[in-house]
Amino acid sequence: MAVFVKRRHDAPRGFFEVEAAGLRWLAVPGGVPVAEPVDVSPSHLSTTRLEAAAPTGAAAEEFGRRLAVTHDAGARHFGVPPDGWDVDGYIGDAALPHALDPVKSWGEFYANLRLQPYLRAAYNQGTLDSHQLQVFEKVCVRLEAGAYDDPSEPPSRIHGDLWSGNVMWCPEGVHLIDPAAHGGHRETDLAMLGLFGLPELDRVLRAYDEAHPLAAEWRHRVGLHRLHPLLVHVVLFGGGYVAQALAAARSYS
């Protein structure tokens, strides 16, 4: 069996182990296939080697239908880590807080574990000033007050870092790689798919909506769900992403 090996001798504690746990957790029957973990240690992760192929409309539609199945596998609560993991994880090189105990709502989870940690880090780095910080804090207040909660939407089993670079088009269909898996909102994965562009995105979303009808106003919340990955980019890569994050935040404050 051909394998793909990622190595990093200075990897933070649990860096590869939580990725492997996330891949296993996402591998649900009928869901999107993943790069299957073969071997993992503190300094490496081996997975099945995937062969790249050109995106097609048919593969995009299958991806959309399968992603709905993955999400519908569910999670115990918002912010829960993948099975077999009980501490925080990572999104790229940034720490990703997990909720080990249930939280009251998605809005509370998203404000306190997906926005606030990165706002504090960006402010402490000097990347955000106090006036910019206030814009984001207003969004957090609205989130905690339940302005964007949908009680009918249970926690989904999400990839958590589903930008186009983590969508692998293969001859046998799309596979997922490099997750930051946790219990979250299905709209988060869908919003991230389009953040940096994805081939055949409209067909993916249409097929998803046919498999699991989305809330009528879901497109109005795309920018809200993109705030987390944009703030991660602010922390990791600097001020080049501040304007984009601020523009999105002002729409929800």
Side-chain angles (χ1 to χ4, degrees), residues 94-109:
L96 183 76
H98 286 141
L100 301 184
D101 298 312
V103 294
K104 181 179 66 176
S105 64
W106 176 78
E108 180 183 275
F109 152 70

Side-chain angles (χ1 to χ4, degrees), residues 26-194:
L26 292 170
V28 302
V32 186
V34 304
E36 298 178 14
V38 176
D39 186 50
V40 62
S41 79
S43 61
H44 89 283
L45 173 63
S46 301
T47 64
T48 50
R49 180 174 290 276
L50 302 175
E51 179 184 349
T56 67
E61 290 172 1
E62 181 184 20
F63 173 39
R65 291 189 292 268
R66 285 180 172 268
L67 184 59
V69 174
T70 300
H71 288 166
D72 287 342
R76 295 193 305 278
H77 55 81
F78 292 113
V80 71
D83 291 347
W85 197 255
D86 59 5
V87 292
D88 292 341
Y90 299 90
I91 180 166
D93 283 343
L96 183 76
H98 286 141
L100 301 184
D101 298 312
V103 294
K104 181 179 66 176
S105 64
W106 176 78
E108 180 183 275
F109 152 70
Y110 195 64
N112 292 319
L113 294 182
R114 290 297 175 267
L115 300 187
Q116 289 284 8
Y118 306 94
L119 291 173
R120 289 194 297 269
Y123 180 75
N124 290 338
Q125 290 171 352
T127 311
L128 290 180
D129 63 35
S130 58
H131 297 292
Q132 293 167 330
L133 185 63
Q134 288 175 6
V135 177
F136 295 101
E137 293 286 1
K138 289 178 181 177
V139 180
C140 291
V141 169
R142 295 201 70 199
L143 282 162
E144 290 199 73
Y148 302 106
D149 284 327
D150 180 356
S152 69
E153 183 66 46
S156 293
R157 186 170 305 201
I158 70 170
H159 179 282
D161 192 14
L162 199 56
W163 72 288
S164 57
N166 289 336
V167 176
M168 186 79 177
W169 299 85
C170 303
E172 64 277 18
V174 166
H175 286 59
L176 302 180
I177 62 173
D178 297 348
H182 62 275
H185 200 304
R186 67 181 69 244
E187 292 176 8
T188 296
D189 271 354
L190 299 181
M192 290 187 71
L193 281 174

Side-chain angles (χ1 to χ4, degrees), residues 214-239:
L214 292 160
E217 301 297 312
W218 81 271
R219 290 185 185 274
H220 296 293
R221 292 184 292 272
V222 166
L224 181 67
H225 288 275
R226 288 178 178 172
L227 279 179
H228 173 234
L230 287 171
L231 287 171
V232 171
H233 278 69
V234 167
V235 170
L236 292 179
F237 306 117

